Amino acid sequence: MSDVLELVDVSVVRDGRALVDDVSWSVKEGERWIILGPNGAGKTTLLNIASSYLFPSRGSARILGEQLGGVGTDVFDLRPRIGMAGIAMAEKLPKRQTVLQTVLTAAYGMTATWHEDYDAVDEERARAFLDRLGMTEYLDRNFGTLSEGERKRTLIARAMMTDPELLLLDEPAAGLDLGGREDLVRRLGRLARDPYAPSMIMVTHHVEEIAPGFTHVLMIRQGKVLAAGPMETELTSRNLSRCFGLPLVVEHVGDRYTAQGLPLK
Ligand SMILES: Nc1ncnc2c1ncn2[C@@H]1O[C@H](COP(=O)(O)OP(=O)(O)O)[C@@H](O)[C@H]1O
Ligand SMILES: [Mg+2]
């Protein structure tokens, strides 16, 4: 199986501090990874590398077979092959564009509409992705008027639009209420188990948000990798406790996970 992402000894240094510190990590085709770690651990920084928007200060990053910063690698060819849904993207999108337009513009690699004659095929695809994410009733609503959950689902549909080989989700369930979270986890689970869906990397700090179908976990703390590998072997109480810096117990209940701190003595 080919590598979707291969980081070797990657560091990102800002103001003399390593935000990502000597990370080696590889993601193979078809794998679905969760990145877990406390606030400020470097999760978003790692995703920014994986999306080819940030170049490492040191080390080597290969994305979809292309060497980042390498001779012959054009990030403008690479970027459409990667779907990214995160807060940074939401902020770039015009609030007064409809949901359908918001998703459609992704097909053309831009954030705003500038013409109306989109391909009928593209519109069909946009509608289909929005439907899969339960957004059919909101096609004509302005993006700026959506609830947090509706916005998150629109962004995921948007990220799917270019038919990416790699899908990156940065805290997709953050800010959702319980119903919204469970709905999203269910939809992400369906996507994660779809053999035709792209390779996926999802950032979260809650094990409750791990949808069934995710196969691997990377845990980071202060920019360093603490654990990386199959979910069954790596998502343990011991690893999670080290990752978050306090005693935690992880439980596998059905096909979901929960974690809680040990009571104080
Ligand atoms: N451009 C930057 N310059 C300096 N520090 C940054 C920059 N971007 C992020 N940081 C810092 O790097 C650390 C990791 O950030 P981030 O990757 O966003 O963490 P996470 O997503 O895990 O919460 C944080 O301490 C953050 O304040
Ligand atoms: Mg972050």
Side-chain angles (χ1 to χ4, degrees):
M1 254 191 286
S2 55
D3 277 339
V4 167
L5 181 70
E6 185 165 30
L7 306 184
V8 181
D9 299 333
V10 162
S11 296
V12 175
V13 181
R14 294 285 181 272
D15 310 321
R17 190 165 74 95
L19 313 182
V20 165
D21 199 356
D22 229 6
V23 167
S24 295
W25 175 36
S26 81
V27 173
K28 309 259 187 267
E29 212 176 298
E31 292 178 350
R32 282 91 171 83
W33 282 77
I34 295 288
I35 302 180
L36 275 174
N39 282 320
K43 304 181 296 295
T44 297
T45 307
L46 265 186
L47 275 201
N48 288 341
I49 295 170
S51 66
S52 84
Y53 279 86
L54 179 71
F55 284 38
S57 315
R58 290 193 299 267
S60 134
R62 279 182 86 79
I63 308 165
L64 299 170
E66 304 290 333
Q67 184 73 35
L68 204 53
V71 180
T73 297
D74 185 343
V75 289
F76 295 99
D77 292 335
L78 193 51
R79 283 175 190 165
R81 299 171 62 196
I82 305 163
M84 172 87 159
I87 301 154
M89 177 49 77
E91 283 163 358
K92 283 187 212 137
L93 295 168
K95 296 192 169 37
R96 297 180 65 181
Q97 201 163 265
T98 68
V99 165
L100 183 60
Q101 286 170 337
T102 301
V103 173
L104 258 175
T105 54
Y108 301 85
M110 30 179 218
T111 51
T113 39
W114 60 278
H115 64 77
E116 293 292 321
D117 48 344
Y118 290 105
D119 237 309
V121 178
D122 289 328
E123 183 164 331
E124 196 90 345
R125 279 164 50 75
R127 285 175 185 275
F129 288 129
L130 281 162
D131 185 51
R132 256 170 98 177
L133 286 146
M135 290 298 293
T136 293
E137 283 163 40
Y138 301 85
L139 297 181
D140 298 322
R141 275 276 290 283
N142 282 348
F143 183 68
T145 67
L146 297 177
S147 75
E148 194 69 27
E150 292 152 6
R151 201 175 347 226
K152 294 262 158 70
R153 286 184 277 145
T154 303
L155 288 177
I156 296 169
R158 186 175 199 280
M160 298 290 292
M161 203 45 203
T162 56
D163 202 5
E165 291 156 69
L166 174 60
L167 180 63
L168 307 172
L169 305 168
D170 197 355
E171 297 190 34
L176 301 187
D177 64 19
L178 183 58
R181 180 190 85 184
E182 286 306 300
D183 178 67
L184 187 68
V185 166
R186 202 162 44 88
R187 292 177 196 282
L188 290 178
R190 205 181 294 159
L191 194 61
R193 282 175 297 200
D194 179 350
Y196 296 104
S199 303
M200 292 166 70
I201 303 174
M202 178 183 127
V203 166
T204 178
H205 13 228
H206 299 291
V207 299
E208 288 76 7
E209 292 171 4
I210 302 176
F214 277 82
T215 58
H216 290 71
V217 64
L218 177 86
M219 289 191 208
I220 59 169
R221 178 178 173 83
Q222 294 177 347
K224 287 195 169 63
V225 174
L226 285 182
M231 198 80 73
E232 315 83 79
T233 56
E234 300 305 317
L235 188 55
T236 60
S237 298
R238 182 170 180 273
N239 282 343
L240 201 71
S241 302
R242 282 168 63 220
C243 186
F244 286 89
L246 80 169
L248 294 166
V249 177
V250 185
E251 282 182 86
H252 199 166
V253 185
D255 53 9
R256 300 283 297 280
Y257 294 91
T258 63
Q260 49 184 309
L262 290 175
L264 295 173
K265 289 203 187 103

